[in-house]
Amino acid sequence: MNCFFSCKRLRKTGTLPPVFCSAELQSPGNVLPNFLTLIISLCMLPFFSLNLSNLECISEWATLRMELGAKEKNQELYKPYTNGIIAKEPPSSLQQEIQELRGSANSLRSEPEFEMADIFYFCRRGVESIVDDEVTKRFSAQELKSWNLLTRSNYNFRHISLRLTVLWGLGILIRYGVLLPLRVTLAVTGICLLLVLTTLVAFLPNAELRSYLSEKVHLMCYRICVRALTAIITYHNRENKPKNGGICVANHTTPIDVIILANDGCYSLVGQVHGGLMGMVQRAMVKSSSHIWFERSEVKDRHLVAKRLGDHVADKTKQPILVFPEGTCINNTSVMMFKKGSFEIGCTVYPVAIKYDPRFGDAFWNSSKFGMVSYLLRMMSSWAIVCSVWYLPPMNREEGEDAVQFANRVKAAIAAQGGLVDLIWDGGLKRAKVKDVFKEEQQKLYSKVLVGDSEDQMEDKRSEDGTPEGDESSKDPAEGQ
Amino acid sequence: MGSRASTLLREEEIEEIKKETGFSHSQITRLYSRFTSLDKGENGTLSREDFQRIPELAINPLGDRIINAFFPEGEDQVNFRGFMRTLAHFRPIEDNEKSKNPTASEPLNSRTNKLLFAFRLYDLDRDDKISRDELLQVLRMMVGVNISDEQLGSIADRTIQEADTNGDNSISFNEFIKVLEKVDVEQKMSIRFLH
């Protein structure tokens, strides 16, 4: 309860809020755009400081209060299953498990052997996956341990106490009444500035001056957008930042990933040509710096895509390309299969790991539930978007390594850095059905157990764990949804 | 968005399910949350498509049969009670349960009921016998295209020969139990639910 009394209201301080200090580059060449951004932001946001540690304190108090309230009424509080519903057996191969099932030592019989107990293995695995599987939970927002005063992440929404409701009401007032309008204004300013300034820069005759200015313009506009979202970003290992002539790959959680990365450096974006406002922005951006936009029909043509990317990286004056090889947004608890297209080009790959802190606002875009506009509104009415970006050391494809293995190596490095689960499943399973070939693999493995696997034992060691291998579908370079 | 688990599941219902299946309060609410996350149509029941959306289940050779086991005879939707009733078969057998009231009806997760669940995976027409055809069907599902018809047929014949004691060329439930008496069914057909 002490916590509550000390955090009774959000502290307003006269110092510059952390929102401004975090993402500033201190090099002298960036003084002008920094200064401009600062002026504009200062005009927009008065001395209002969102002190994050206070918010954490309040959210823990809120959860405690809900637990007490539930105990008073002799009810149990629903706790999200952050620790899992079931304890899964450590993964072992299909053959091992079936041998165990059969128990006896006569596995060397020459005749094919079937036991009725064999189905127990499949049965249990099947029901385990019904109760808790690795894939479907990656496509919806992560569940939080303590409530952060946003209705959208509340699982016990009922009237517990007046104080809690008042606090929640106050939260709503601040978020929708104060933060949202300011942020929307900033965002609109940022986009307009981007459109206007890039068009202006495109008119300059001198190519060098043009590229220099376009860099500054892009950086400034992205910084304004970052303020518009109140994104508090911590960049780690800046010395590994992607350089020209390479490809930057990152895990994909939301379209905002682009803004977060482009805030700290200039990238060439890859994607599908859109209509409407997005299309205008795309056309404006292309005027002053080179980006790779594909027509919808061209996306399917793998060779065309590979060629354009290859040409771009070959030109050392062009900025590094930003690609999200997962192809779709995942909820930031795991990294799913990387499509191998970007790894076939043969240039240096700069992996980047992005991890969002879900306590202040969940950044994941659930595209089957929310459209772009409602997603952006939700983003701008959260407390803040807090994330960490790690630049990993550049990687190259090694001798004797094919594109899929290289992609998996990069994926493992990103997952390890970001504290994410490394999955082999395809992010496309969000919408598509799993391919039959994986079931056929399972059937093949079982047949080997039945019929005996003396001649195939060596070959099978590789695929013995029974999990599906990477998907061989066509590359999708577009920033997926 | 998270599911509003506790608000939609009434206390009385949770108590009833607790009595019927033996799951604890927190396990029931967690499983309810899982149920609602699978229920894309948001109508309080699951259809076969909802199950097939789980990739790990879709690649399981016996996936369709397992999904079938959740649906009562002839129906296409399963509600939460039915879902829990089926999952209850996989609850581990606790020692203190064995010594409980012996006259009460057998708990859903007893050894016999676990074996009955497995038996029903084979016995599609529910005539309490696994015929040669039914056995062949399951074998075919498990091996795919990798074994020839003749070989599979001889495997099936051999299995029935070994299990069949009354000579009717099919396996009854009692014969099934006999064949599996040495197998640790309690452990192999149990899932460790966390509290």
Side-chain angles (χ1 to χ4, degrees):
Chain A
M1 293 312 264
N2 288 339
C3 187
F4 169 64
F5 287 114
S6 67
C7 308
K8 189 134 187 170
R9 51 181 71 86
L10 296 171
R11 239 181 272 139
K12 294 184 198 209
T13 68
T15 59
L16 269 183
V19 136
F20 296 115
C21 306
S22 60
E24 298 285 351
L25 282 175
Q26 298 304 321
S27 61
N30 290 306
V31 167
L32 186 62
N34 276 358
F35 189 60
L36 272 173
T37 320
L38 207 57
I39 295 287
I40 296 177
S41 314
L42 270 176
C43 295
M44 298 284 177
L45 285 175
F47 318 111
F48 186 50
S49 144
L50 208 59
N51 198 320
L52 289 184
S53 59
N54 273 348
L55 192 59
E56 269 183 64
C57 210
I58 293 183
S59 73
E60 274 166 31
W61 172 82
T63 312
L64 203 63
R65 192 72 193 79
M66 290 196 322
E67 283 177 17
L68 282 175
K71 280 219 179 72
E72 281 162 26
K73 297 186 187 147
N74 271 334
Q75 291 165 347
E76 294 230 11
L77 204 66
Y78 162 66
K79 283 246 163 66
Y81 48 93
T82 39
N83 297 327
I85 309 183
I86 52 181
K88 286 206 175 133
E89 306 292 319
S92 55
S93 75
L94 184 147
Q95 318 211 231
Q96 261 183 291
E97 292 239 11
I98 299 215
Q99 302 294 21
E100 259 180 51
L101 214 48
R102 293 174 179 187
S104 56
N106 45 348
S107 47
L108 299 167
R109 265 207 274 177
S110 55
E111 293 191 357
E113 181 191 324
F114 169 69
E115 298 275 335
M116 302 214 69
D118 286 348
I119 61 161
F120 288 170
Y121 168 74
F122 292 111
C123 194
R124 194 179 75 186
R125 286 283 284 264
V127 178
E128 269 181 358
S129 66
I130 291 179
V131 175
D132 187 15
D133 79 303
E134 284 298 316
V135 183
T136 52
K137 63 186 182 192
R138 310 290 173 195
F139 301 133
S140 57
Q142 195 183 4
E143 301 194 357
L144 301 168
K145 287 199 179 82
S146 50
W147 188 36
N148 58 356
L149 295 181
L150 299 174
T151 320
R152 61 189 74 140
S153 48
N154 189 343
Y155 319 108
N156 290 290
F157 189 62
R158 53 181 159 213
H159 181 80
I160 299 283
S161 78
L162 187 62
R163 241 183 281 173
L164 196 57
T165 317
V166 164
L167 206 63
W168 171 73
L170 194 67
I172 288 217
L173 209 66
I174 297 176
R175 284 185 296 121
Y176 284 91
V178 179
L179 294 179
L180 184 60
L182 288 170
R183 286 174 181 166
V184 168
T185 324
L186 260 184
V188 166
T189 316
I191 296 183
C192 290
L193 269 180
L194 183 70
L195 288 174
V196 165
L197 288 177
T198 46
T199 321
L200 283 180
V201 166
F203 285 129
L204 290 174
N206 186 344
E208 217 181 274
L209 183 65
R210 200 169 54 215
S211 69
Y212 174 77
L213 272 184
S214 111
E215 222 182 273
K216 299 297 170 230
V217 161
H218 272 105
L219 273 178
M220 184 182 86
C221 295
Y222 280 122
R223 285 209 191 106
I224 297 181
C225 288
V226 161
R227 304 283 185 269
L229 293 167
T230 321
I232 301 175
I233 314 172
T234 322
Y235 295 99
H236 303 266
N237 306 335
R238 275 238 182 81
E239 65 273 9
N240 292 326
K241 238 166 76 168
K243 303 190 176 52
N244 285 1
I247 292 192
C248 173
V249 305
N251 58 315
H252 201 27
T253 306
T254 152
I256 294 177
D257 286 339
V258 173
I259 302 180
I260 298 217
L261 287 179
N263 182 41
D264 194 40
C266 287
Y267 298 96
S268 290
L269 305 176
V270 179
Q272 248 180 42
V273 170
H274 286 99
L277 179 64
M278 270 304 287
M280 268 170 65
V281 173
Q282 284 178 328
R283 283 191 295 275
M285 285 167 75
V286 157
K287 287 195 187 120
S288 52
S289 63
S290 57
H291 298 277
I292 308 180
W293 306 122
F294 287 102
E295 300 293 332
R296 196 166 273 271
S297 51
E298 290 172 336
V299 171
K300 301 290 178 199
D301 186 350
R302 290 176 62 186
H303 294 293
L304 178 66
V305 162
K307 181 160 189 319
R308 277 184 73 174
L309 290 177
D311 288 341
H312 187 110
V313 292
D315 184 350
K316 296 295 176 199
T317 62
K318 295 207 172 131
Q319 292 145 354
I321 307 181
L322 180 57
V323 172
F324 297 102
E326 281 168 316
T328 185
C329 291
I330 312 291
N331 78 346
N332 209 232
T333 54
S334 66
V335 184
M336 297 188 114
M337 192 189 82
F338 276 3
K339 303 218 190 314
K340 63 179 180 183
S342 352
F343 300 93
E344 280 174 332
I345 298 179
C347 58
T348 317
V349 167
Y350 297 89
V352 175
I354 309 176
K355 179 83 178 110
Y356 291 87
D357 187 341
R359 289 174 299 171
F360 302 103
D362 188 68
F364 168 60
W365 183 29
N366 193 342
S367 51
S368 34
K369 253 190 159 159
F370 307 110
M372 183 57 119
V373 177
S374 71
Y375 168 70
L376 283 175
L377 276 176
R378 282 164 72 96
M379 280 301 101
M380 294 198 208
S381 62
S382 317
W383 295 113
I385 313 269
V386 181
C387 64
S388 295
V389 175
W390 286 272
Y391 292 107
L392 297 166
M395 288 180 160
N396 280 298
R397 196 159 89 179
E398 284 168 9
E399 286 296 319
E401 198 181 35
D402 69 2
V404 173
Q405 290 168 328
F406 181 38
N408 286 335
R409 197 160 57 91
V410 174
K411 176 161 66 85
I414 293 182
Q417 180 63 264
L420 306 165
V421 176
D422 187 0
L423 294 178
I424 353 177
W425 295 96
D426 184 359
L429 290 171
K430 200 195 232 180
R431 299 209 167 81
K433 284 206 142 111
V434 68
K435 291 192 157 135
D436 281 334
V437 69
F438 300 124
K439 190 189 235 179
E440 285 158 21
E441 267 182 45
Q442 294 276 306
Q443 289 170 329
K444 204 157 167 203
L445 280 172
Y446 181 65
S447 326
K448 294 228 158 66
V449 173
L450 267 198
V451 179
D453 54 357
S454 43
E455 69 271 35
D456 296 315
Q457 215 159 12
M458 296 305 151
E459 183 196 343
D460 262 359
K461 285 279 185 260
R462 206 169 23 92
S463 54
E464 202 174 79
D465 61 352
T467 45
E469 300 192 332
D471 189 19
E472 297 286 304
S473 60
S474 63
K475 170 199 153 113
D476 178 13
E479 300 161 34
Q481 292 167 359
Chain B
M1 199 158 152
S3 57
R4 307 265 174 95
S6 301
T7 53
L8 299 182
L9 199 59
R10 295 186 323 270
E11 275 306 307
E12 310 90 63
E13 271 192 75
I14 299 184
E15 284 303 312
E16 282 172 36
I17 297 177
K18 208 175 182 177
K19 232 180 283 174
E20 193 183 354
T21 61
F23 282 114
S24 73
H25 198 293
S26 63
Q27 285 169 342
I28 295 175
T29 40
R30 273 196 197 156
L31 287 168
Y32 187 68
S33 167
R34 174 66 175 171
F35 181 82
T36 41
S37 73
L38 290 175
D39 179 15
K40 290 282 185 278
E42 290 186 359
N43 52 0
T45 58
L46 293 179
S47 67
R48 289 196 164 81
E49 287 78 44
D50 288 324
F51 282 102
Q52 276 153 2
R53 221 174 275 125
I54 304 173
E56 286 165 45
L57 188 62
I59 67 168
N60 191 317
L62 291 181
D64 288 329
R65 286 287 169 99
I66 297 171
I67 295 174
N68 232 23
F70 280 84
F71 292 85
E73 206 56 61
E75 291 188 21
D76 285 326
Q77 303 283 332
V78 57
N79 61 10
F80 184 57
R81 294 290 290 268
F83 183 70
M84 292 301 281
R85 219 172 281 134
T86 316
L87 283 183
H89 287 103
F90 289 85
R91 219 164 56 79
I93 300 178
E94 284 135 36
D95 286 325
N96 58 2
E97 280 187 35
K98 289 187 184 153
S99 52
K100 262 196 188 141
N101 190 353
T103 59
S105 62
E106 219 170 342
L108 284 169
N109 64 336
S110 68
R111 188 195 158 92
T112 318
N113 276 325
K114 286 185 200 281
L115 285 168
L116 190 59
F117 186 87
F119 186 78
R120 293 231 169 98
L121 287 182
Y122 283 108
D123 182 21
L124 205 57
D125 58 6
R126 300 283 172 97
D127 64 352
D128 288 327
K129 281 205 293 271
I130 304 176
S131 66
R132 182 178 186 269
D133 274 335
E134 286 172 340
L135 187 58
L136 264 179
Q137 265 179 40
V138 173
L139 277 170
R140 186 49 78 195
M141 283 175 87
M142 289 202 277
V143 304
V145 300
N146 298 294
I147 298 186
S148 65
D149 279 335
E150 304 88 52
Q151 226 181 358
L152 215 58
S154 62
I155 294 177
D157 286 327
R158 206 181 7 257
T159 313
I160 294 187
Q161 233 173 30
E162 287 175 2
D164 194 15
T165 50
N166 67 352
D168 60 353
N169 216 27
S170 59
I171 306 177
S172 71
F173 185 49
N174 287 326
E175 289 162 357
F176 187 70
I177 297 181
K178 190 107 204 330
V179 170
L180 294 172
E181 64 185 352
K182 293 220 183 67
V183 177
D184 184 6
V185 176
E186 284 93 345
Q187 208 249 320
K188 293 298 171 189
M189 284 281 275
S190 291
I191 298 177
R192 286 183 289 158
F193 290 93
L194 296 173
H195 289 282

